[in-house]
Amino acid sequence: MASPNLLPPQRRQNQVFSALLLIFLIASSVYYMTAPERSEDEKLTTAKEVPLSEITQKYSQGKLSEILVRGSNVYAKMLSGSYVQSYKELGDSIGTLGWNDPKNPTPVRVDNIELKNFFKDHLGDLVFFILMIGLGMWVFRSLARSQSSAMSFGKSRARVADAKDIKTTFKDVAGCDEAKNELEEIVDFLKSPKKYTAIGAKIPRGALLVGAPGTGKTLLARAVAGEAGVPFFSISGSEFVEMFVGVGASRVRDLFLKAKRNAPCIIFIDEIDAVGRQRGGAGFGGGHDEREQTLNQILTEMDGFDKETKVIVMAATNRPDVLDVALLRPGRFDRRVFIDKPDLVARKLILEVHARNKKMGKGIDLEVIAKQTVGLAGADLENIMNEAAIFAAKHGMKTIAQGDIVEAVEKVALGSEKRSRKINEKEKSITAYHEVGHAIVGHLCEESDPLHKISIISRGFALGVTWFLPKEDQYTTTKQKFLDEICGLLGGRAAEEIVFHEITTGASNDIERASAIARSMAMRYGMDQEELGIVSYGERQGGAALGVDLGMTRNYSEDAAKKIDAFVQRTIAAQYVRAKGFIEANRSKMETIVAKLLEIETMSLEEFLEIFEGKKVEKKTKKIV
Ligand code: ADP
Ligand code: MG
Ligand code: ZN
């Protein structure tokens, strides 16, 4: 598709502007050509007034160099060059005044009053008028260009990417095969709309991309445009809502108008939840009317599409739960494409995509990295590869080594290492026992994920870290695995209590997580069969699948609440006893491992096992802080 003619109104404006400029040039040159007379005019208007008889007298005495008659105005130029002025009756002619003496050499000039007056009275106005118009146009144009001004509020602020500028294709989007499959249809429609219209198929109008932040929604939308080779109009929902009421709606109108002119094309509305929230809902504060009008305009525009409209509206959100139902009705965003956080395979592919444009060293194993990055989104993985490149450059290397990527993972996942942070010896020692406690208990719990690494280097706000890598992403979990997880989480506190006979605040995060697991065992998974039965308690609000948990609505009795609390307490108490048992049984080994850890600060699985038993274990991703 050729470069779209996006700005015809501006071009027209240009022509008007140059025409005015031309008029101005002509007028100003005329003005200049009459300049000598004008300077004379000035002298005339300031001339001294004298009786008419005085002029007649000086004429006859030959003391004048010229007489100028303009209507009833009479000007006389003295031999000295200065002027005097007087008035005559309109009926008086040169003859009656006696200025027509053929022997007198003084010339008498009669000016054409009409022409002179026209120039005198109107030329200035004309020039001024043209100047004002020119200035006005110039101001208007520069405002339009700057776009940031209140003058341009009705114009859409959509960013437009020409078809030829979009290099993104599905190849750049790793994983999310299901989403790509669904969007393939839209690509095909944009490429050959006739195929669909000929058969009478209803054309999709809108597709809503739903996914957690950083999962590649924007990227996918661009890729659809890139695959189809059509222009891409993008705007963010929040940009509609600004400054004045009614602006959003007129922006929408403008955006759709531009898009239709450039069809086939894609309109992409990012963060549509900013305008598309449920209407009339409580608690969102002001700006309702504005948002509502904007939303209504979007709906109206989409309804206005006929069969021939080859514009597809894509939108992205991470809050599908708050969207107005009107947006989701057929004929609007009737296709919903869910984009999940990447699984192991997808993570490896995404890492590979972002390794493509970087100089990678030999022997890089991205699978190991993928295993360490459970729960991270595409944007995080991109960030990791970028950080790795920065580390490599910092170390003065020409290519990226595995170590750089590992370092980057730790930085991105946990905040950067703070070797410099001073922690006193006691604190360090407690941290070491705490982490080794996690490691030993986790290692001894059969269902627990294999241990990966122990570290007492402080990162972010966590003093130490013990990593466990799951063998694969798991979608179902057994009751025993939950219990083992809780046990492992309590290993840190158990070690602290056994060794120091005192307890610290260091385990607060562990306790929180252990409690959360126990609570969902009771409330969501029906794992307290005897007391609570196989019943779900509490209604979840919103998209837990998206990592956005809006909390629970309590829909159970006081009695059930007591039972839930009792289950949580019982479960955690039992696992704590179990964890302490593991630690006590391995007290001496723990001492050796802690001593070693305090020395080397970071301990790998191999180093741990060398002391603990001497056996190889497969690697894997999950951390217990
Ligand atoms: P979202 O719009 O969902 O918040 P983005 O599309 O803006 O996420 O993603 C941010 C960046 O993360 C992208 O520009 C891309 O570099 C990277 N990214 C995210 N998902 C993927 C993916 N599946 N494949 C490759 N890169 C990805
Ligand atoms: Mg985005
Ligand atoms: Zn801990």
Side-chain angles (χ1 to χ4, degrees), residues 214 216-219 268 270-271 316:
K217 299 180 292 293
T218 310
L219 186 72
F268 178 60
D270 212 346
E271 301 167 46

Side-chain angles (χ1 to χ4, degrees), residues 342-540:
D343 61 11
L344 177 66
V345 178
R347 286 199 301 276
K348 187 177 172 212
L349 292 173
I350 295 172
L351 288 167
E352 279 167 3
V353 163
H354 293 286
R356 257 194 246 151
N357 55 358
K358 298 189 179 62
K359 294 217 171 71
M360 307 301 289
K362 287 216 175 76
I364 296 276
D365 189 349
L366 290 177
E367 185 149 355
V368 173
I369 306 298
K371 280 184 178 171
Q372 287 180 21
T373 47
V374 172
L376 296 192
D380 303 315
L381 297 172
E382 182 194 12
N383 195 8
I384 284 173
M385 291 311 283
N386 192 46
E387 288 291 339
I390 291 171
F391 279 132
K394 234 195 243 169
H395 300 156
M397 306 305 286
K398 292 235 158 29
T399 58
I400 298 168
Q402 185 82 6
D404 297 320
I405 311 177
V406 172
E407 208 176 328
V409 170
E410 291 172 3
K411 179 172 178 191
V412 170
L414 296 163
S416 67
E417 287 194 18
K418 288 188 189 149
R419 268 173 197 279
S420 57
R421 179 180 157 154
K422 280 237 160 68
I423 45 171
N424 64 42
E425 286 309 305
K426 173 92 184 279
E427 216 178 3
K428 204 166 160 187
S429 162
I430 293 175
T431 305
Y433 278 103
H434 179 105
E435 297 305 331
V436 173
H438 280 313
I440 291 176
V441 174
H443 181 65
L444 291 174
C445 287
E446 292 257 308
E447 295 281 313
S448 174
D449 294 325
L451 178 67
H452 168 58
K453 182 176 167 180
I454 317 166
S455 166
I456 53 167
I457 297 166
S458 71
R459 268 159 233 274
F461 56 91
L463 288 178
V465 64
T466 303
W467 294 53
F468 293 85
L469 302 184
K471 290 193 192 83
E472 66 254 348
D473 292 315
Q474 276 173 324
Y475 296 103
T476 58
T477 308
T478 61
K479 183 175 178 182
Q480 188 56 48
K481 181 150 171 37
F482 278 141
L483 294 175
D484 282 0
E485 251 179 69
I486 294 172
C487 189
L489 282 163
L490 296 170
R493 163 62 74 89
E496 280 183 52
E497 200 189 334
I498 288 167
V499 175
F500 298 98
H501 305 293
E502 67 183 3
I503 50 184
T504 70
T505 56
S508 70
N509 183 254
D510 299 336
I511 295 168
E512 225 168 86
R513 289 166 62 187
S515 309
I517 293 172
R519 200 163 285 277
S520 32
M521 285 172 77
M523 296 174 66
R524 290 175 65 190
Y525 304 118
M527 285 179 177
D528 185 15
Q529 276 194 46
E530 304 76 32
E531 289 293 320
L532 289 162
I534 309 172
V535 174
S536 164
Y537 294 90
E539 213 170 306
R540 293 185 82 71

Side-chain angles (χ1 to χ4, degrees), residues 297-308:
Q297 192 63 39
I298 293 176
L299 299 178
T300 311
E301 293 287 349
M302 287 180 81
D303 288 345
F305 285 3
D306 52 35
K307 271 192 185 152
E308 300 301 307

Side-chain angles (χ1 to χ4, degrees), residues 536-552:
S536 164
Y537 294 90
E539 213 170 306
R540 293 185 82 71
Q541 301 267 297
L546 305 171
V548 209
D549 201 342
L550 299 176
M552 296 274 206

Side-chain angles (χ1 to χ4, degrees), residues 208-424:
L208 182 66
L209 304 176
V210 180
T215 44
K217 299 180 292 293
T218 310
L219 186 72
L220 254 178
R222 278 188 80 85
V224 171
E227 287 283 329
V230 299
F232 185 71
F233 291 76
S234 68
I235 191 160
S236 176
S238 55
E239 289 171 64
F240 281 129
V241 189
E242 243 173 75
M243 283 208 292
F244 307 113
V245 172
V247 172
S250 79
R251 279 201 180 138
V252 171
R253 221 172 298 126
D254 189 61
L255 173 63
F256 276 77
L257 197 74
K258 274 187 195 164
K260 280 187 209 156
R261 236 186 256 137
N262 291 285
C265 70
I266 288 177
I267 293 178
F268 178 60
I269 305 173
D270 212 346
E271 301 167 46
I272 194 164
D273 40 289
V275 286
R277 274 171 192 270
Q278 241 138 5
R279 287 171 289 184
F284 292 119
H288 263 231
D289 286 353
E290 173 63 356
R291 214 174 43 219
E292 237 165 78
Q293 282 185 18
T294 308
L295 177 58
N296 282 338
Q297 192 63 39
I298 293 176
L299 299 178
T300 311
E301 293 287 349
M302 287 180 81
D303 288 345
F305 285 3
D306 52 35
K307 271 192 185 152
E308 300 301 307
T309 312
K310 288 154 196 134
V311 176
I312 297 227
V313 185
M314 294 179 81
T317 182
N318 51 17
R319 300 290 308 276
D321 50 304
V322 302
L323 286 187
D324 197 292
V325 281
L327 273 173
L328 306 173
R329 272 206 288 273
R332 290 159 180 179
F333 294 100
D334 43 1
R335 310 239 154 166
R336 252 152 293 168
V337 180
F338 288 90
I339 305 170
D340 299 322
K341 282 209 173 156
D343 61 11
L344 177 66
V345 178
R347 286 199 301 276
K348 187 177 172 212
L349 292 173
I350 295 172
L351 288 167
E352 279 167 3
V353 163
H354 293 286
R356 257 194 246 151
N357 55 358
K358 298 189 179 62
K359 294 217 171 71
M360 307 301 289
K362 287 216 175 76
I364 296 276
D365 189 349
L366 290 177
E367 185 149 355
V368 173
I369 306 298
K371 280 184 178 171
Q372 287 180 21
T373 47
V374 172
L376 296 192
D380 303 315
L381 297 172
E382 182 194 12
N383 195 8
I384 284 173
M385 291 311 283
N386 192 46
E387 288 291 339
I390 291 171
F391 279 132
K394 234 195 243 169
H395 300 156
M397 306 305 286
K398 292 235 158 29
T399 58
I400 298 168
Q402 185 82 6
D404 297 320
I405 311 177
V406 172
E407 208 176 328
V409 170
E410 291 172 3
K411 179 172 178 191
V412 170
L414 296 163
S416 67
E417 287 194 18
K418 288 188 189 149
R419 268 173 197 279
S420 57
R421 179 180 157 154
K422 280 237 160 68
I423 45 171
N424 64 42

